[in-house]
Amino acid sequence: MLTWHFISKKHIISFALLSLLPLLSIGVGIFLVSKGVLFSPSIMITHIAVPVITILLFALVIFLQDSRASKITLSVILTIVFIAVTLFLLLIMPFAAMDVYKNDEVSVSYQEISDSFSAMPELDELGDYNEIIHYDYFSGAMIFYGDADTLTVHYSPEEYEAQKAETINKYVVYDYRNKIFFNKEYCDSTAEIDGYSFSVVSCNNQWGYELQLPKKMMFIATNDEKKTISYTAYQDNDLDYIDNLEEFLLKNCGWKYIIKQN
């Protein structure tokens, strides 16, 4: 049975000092979310669950009746375990961040993308649109990460049909099952997600020198119901293959968040 003894000022100070590191981890999590990192199981486990559990364990060690030597030993062990577990989670747990820019903001945020990814359209090539949104999505774990930029353009019904036809004429896309992702199995080069029809832009065109599937890719998505055309540029120098295009678009390119906002 656990027995609590008189809580002295020394106990409180010791507990407060030991809790600084877990509290710092919680503060880092709050800071990351405030700066655009998406709240996810990774954030919840790494920056909430693990530090809170550690603080509770510190409380048990400090405030339970026990010898001073065992308190010191257990506190050191808990601190080492906390640091090791946190570093391990940061290494393996994926995280994601997304910045959203609309209309007038896009001319600034999108400039770097159009400069470095010439296959993506210039803003003055997009016709007479009603709204334009740039989603800057970043995902990864520690040193391995991918970067996806999606430009979604909303049109009137008439303008949408005209721009859709022009886009089809401009871009060569894969429209068949093909071993384009260098894995052992065939992977669909098209996908249907929540009304969006996705196609992988082929590297057998004027952008062939630039598109290096799957490390550097471009996708086009049309939505006949919402009258939108979306262009996604994705780059990950460590990516070797894609098993499932739909899952890749949702998780790696941030489309599970984009769909919720559209």
Side-chain angles (χ1 to χ4, degrees):
M1 180 177 179
L2 299 177
T3 304
W4 299 85
H5 58 69
F6 175 74
I7 299 176
S8 66
K9 185 177 180 180
K10 289 183 178 179
H11 294 141
I12 295 175
I13 293 175
S14 298
F15 174 68
L17 291 175
L18 289 170
S19 300
L20 286 178
L21 204 55
L23 288 173
L24 177 62
S25 179
I26 294 174
V28 169
I30 294 173
F31 174 78
L32 291 174
V33 172
S34 71
K35 292 299 181 179
V37 173
L38 299 168
F39 189 78
S40 64
S42 300
I43 293 291
M44 185 171 62
I45 293 172
T46 305
H47 296 289
I48 297 179
V50 170
V52 167
I53 291 172
T54 303
I55 289 172
L56 293 176
L57 291 174
F58 278 140
L60 292 175
V61 170
I62 297 300
F63 299 125
L64 283 178
Q65 287 186 358
D66 212 337
S67 67
R68 182 181 179 184
S70 63
K71 289 178 186 291
I72 294 175
T73 301
L74 290 173
S75 296
V76 170
I77 292 173
L78 277 175
T79 301
I80 294 174
V81 171
F82 170 73
I83 294 173
V85 170
T86 300
L87 291 176
F88 177 72
L89 290 174
L90 288 173
L91 181 64
I92 66 167
M93 295 290 282
F95 66 93
M98 186 167 71
D99 293 319
V100 181
Y101 307 92
K102 296 184 178 182
N103 298 323
D104 293 341
E105 300 172 329
V106 174
S107 60
V108 176
S109 68
Y110 184 69
Q111 186 61 51
E112 182 180 350
I113 308 305
S114 61
D115 289 342
S116 61
F117 223 112
S118 62
M120 293 287 280
E122 297 288 343
L123 295 181
D124 58 9
E125 299 174 344
L126 298 174
D128 186 15
Y129 51 81
N130 295 334
E131 184 181 37
I132 187 169
I133 307 174
H134 173 204
Y135 300 94
D136 185 358
Y137 182 77
F138 177 90
S139 63
M142 211 65 162
I143 61 174
F144 302 103
Y145 62 89
D147 194 10
D149 287 273
T150 296
L151 192 69
T152 296
V153 192
H154 297 258
Y155 294 101
S156 65
E158 297 78 12
E159 185 69 13
Y160 169 74
E161 293 300 333
Q163 291 298 322
K164 181 180 177 181
E166 187 172 328
T167 300
I168 293 174
N169 290 330
K170 178 179 178 180
Y171 292 98
V172 177
V173 299
Y174 288 106
D175 58 356
Y176 50 87
R177 292 170 64 85
N178 189 19
K179 191 182 287 186
I180 58 175
F181 301 126
F182 313 127
N183 59 338
K184 295 181 180 179
E185 302 295 332
Y186 285 89
C187 176
D188 279 327
S189 57
T190 60
E192 294 286 335
I193 307 174
D194 198 39
Y196 291 88
S197 299
F198 291 88
S199 296
V200 180
V201 174
S202 172
C203 55
N204 297 322
N205 51 35
Q206 64 265 44
W207 302 291
Y209 70 94
E210 180 179 81
L211 300 178
Q212 302 173 12
L213 281 61
K215 300 181 184 299
K216 191 171 184 180
M217 309 178 66
M218 180 178 167
F219 307 92
I220 295 175
T222 58
N223 190 313
D224 293 343
E225 180 181 354
K226 296 184 177 181
K227 311 303 179 188
T228 65
I229 301 176
S230 298
Y231 308 86
T232 297
Y234 181 83
Q235 185 164 5
D236 180 355
N237 293 328
D238 297 306
L239 183 65
D240 294 322
Y241 64 88
I242 298 173
D243 286 319
N244 184 287
L245 183 59
E246 179 177 339
E247 183 178 332
F248 176 81
L249 288 164
L250 290 171
K251 293 183 178 181
N252 296 66
C253 297
W255 269 91
K256 65 180 179 181
Y257 301 106
I258 296 173
I259 288 173
K260 291 178 181 179
Q261 296 193 24
N262 280 334

